[in-house]
Amino acid sequence: MADRDGKIWYDGEMVDWRDATTHVLTHTLHYGMGVFEGVRAYETPKGPAIFRLEDHTARLFRSAKILGMALPFTPQQISQAHLDVVKANGLKSCYFRPMAFYGSGKLGVAPLKNDVRVIVAAWPWGAYLGDEGLEKGIRVKTSSFTRHHVNITMCKAKANGNYMNSILANNEATADGYDEALLLDVDGFVAEGSGENIFIIRKGKLYTPDLTSALEGITRDTVVQISKEMGLELVEKRITRDEVYSADEAFFTGTAAEVTPIRELDRRAIGDGNRGTITAEIQKRYFDIVKGLDAEHQHWLTYVN
Ligand code: PMP
């Protein structure tokens, strides 16, 4: 992470960016047992607003529950910490990284003798898959790595260790010149991207994989709501990679990735190989909502000031 001035919320205190460190024997560093979130605040006409903050905090606590990790703060304290770091850093828009991890009391697989420590950091972050990706769409490769099996790790937890699978897939795809990976589940059906849920569109109908082995994305849920408001039919079902090849449009969703069109999978152009028209409309509505330009969805915004 870049060296910078600023503050990070760390176990209830505002700590200087450069002092927000931890010991090399930190349990989570060794074994990956921790939980985190990715949250964004956008600049709106009424100042910075955090998008679906309560939902992200609730997922952080659900992830901790799934891993059997007791967080030493309340959801209200964690949500408040987000507001506090925006103010402490004077940010107009940002990406947040809340994370809970086991400290350095005792090494060995059992983490329970270690304190649970919590951070909320925030910094400015642009389009995750690039501005050009948002406009023109990205090129995606089906990964040789399979998405986690539901009884090998806990797919519904946004758990640190789960991301080794994501990194292997993303590294493979980007080393081969693609922008992102698409992971299939153990049965060979489409699961999700390395950090995104996926939607496809065929004959005006929207399809997205069920959530068996994919993360319950908050952006996915937002797009489900947007599609209802657009009067689009949405089908949640198992999807095969050849259904993606023959889709008219496809896109990824994620807090970091926002709504990113997919223009190609495995060297097959999706539709005409550009951002699709329905995708463009969903994307526009999404950005209007997060930027506070849509009067109907103000309940999803937590204004900082
Ligand atoms: N799947 C994975 C594996 C992710 O890491 C993310 C990003 N959190 C998502 C899907 C999308 O989730 P959200 O829309 O809540 O950011």
Side-chain angles (χ1 to χ4, degrees):
M1 182 51 62
D3 180 48
R4 63 173 85 228
D5 295 328
K7 303 277 184 195
I8 290 177
W9 187 95
Y10 198 167
D11 290 338
E13 314 263 329
M14 281 297 168
V15 176
D16 282 337
W17 187 278
R18 295 180 185 89
D19 296 333
T21 56
T22 188
H23 198 272
V24 289
L25 294 182
T26 296
H27 195 278
T28 302
L29 183 62
H30 292 253
Y31 305 113
M33 188 79 163
V35 296
F36 68 97
E37 272 301 314
V39 188
R40 271 192 197 263
Y42 288 86
E43 197 171 352
T44 79
K46 293 194 275 175
I50 306 176
F51 186 59
R52 299 193 67 170
L53 173 60
E54 304 307 327
D55 295 315
H56 281 285
T57 300
R59 188 171 63 187
L60 184 76
F61 278 77
R62 276 203 309 280
S63 297
K65 180 179 182 183
I66 289 169
L67 298 198
M69 190 178 198
L71 301 193
F73 295 96
T74 63
Q76 292 70 27
Q77 285 173 307
I78 299 300
S79 289
Q80 183 61 45
H82 287 69
L83 298 167
D84 294 345
V85 285
V86 176
K87 285 187 196 153
N89 292 287
L91 294 162
K92 290 200 174 96
S93 64
C94 62
Y95 182 80
F96 297 92
R97 174 47 49 81
M99 178 177 68
F101 61 100
Y102 287 106
S104 57
K106 175 185 168 288
L107 224 50
V109 167
L112 300 176
K113 295 234 165 65
N114 293 295
D115 292 338
V116 173
R117 314 202 56 189
V118 186
I119 59 143
V120 181
W123 63 90
W125 208 11
Y128 180 64
L129 293 162
D131 289 322
E132 196 183 313
L134 283 178
E135 206 190 304
K136 301 211 166 114
I138 58 165
R139 298 179 58 246
V140 176
K141 182 182 189 331
T142 303
S143 186
S144 72
F145 295 98
T146 301
R147 196 66 187 146
H148 293 295
H149 179 270
V150 290
N151 202 32
I152 287 177
T153 185
M154 299 288 103
C155 301
K156 296 285 175 296
K158 194 164 166 61
N160 296 40
N162 286 355
Y163 283 80
M164 204 177 117
N165 177 246
S166 289
I167 293 168
L168 287 168
N170 182 274
N171 279 352
E172 178 189 57
T174 54
D176 286 348
Y178 293 84
D179 301 304
E180 181 53 299
L182 177 67
L183 290 102
L184 309 180
D185 66 18
V186 286
D187 296 318
F189 291 89
V190 171
E192 60 183 340
S194 74
E196 306 88 6
N197 295 109
I198 186 170
F199 287 81
I200 62 172
I201 298 168
R202 183 137 190 248
K203 295 186 182 163
K205 247 195 229 179
L206 212 50
Y207 299 86
T208 192
D210 70 80
L211 289 171
T212 306
S213 58
L215 191 74
E216 206 175 333
I218 291 166
T219 320
R220 176 187 187 275
D221 182 70
T222 304
V223 165
V224 167
Q225 180 64 31
I226 291 172
S227 69
K228 277 187 198 147
E229 290 164 9
M230 288 171 66
L232 293 171
E233 194 179 333
L234 174 87
V235 184
E236 208 178 324
K237 71 170 200 76
R238 285 180 132 185
I239 289 173
T240 58
R241 65 195 275 189
D242 47 12
E243 284 178 286
V244 184
Y245 293 155
S246 48
D248 300 324
E249 303 182 27
F251 59 91
F252 274 140
T253 62
T255 300
E258 300 164 312
V259 176
T260 298
I262 300 170
R263 68 179 158 96
E264 190 185 310
L265 176 64
D266 304 336
R267 301 184 188 279
R268 278 96 168 159
I270 309 291
D272 63 5
N274 294 303
R275 172 173 63 184
T277 49
I278 297 173
T279 304
E281 178 62 22
I282 291 171
Q283 203 184 36
K284 183 188 177 306
R285 289 181 184 228
Y286 181 76
F287 281 117
D288 282 353
I289 291 170
V290 296
K291 291 179 179 171
L293 304 175
D294 181 314
E296 302 302 313
H297 301 88
Q298 292 291 319
H299 59 283
W300 275 336
L301 303 185
T302 303
Y303 286 95
V304 173
N305 301 312

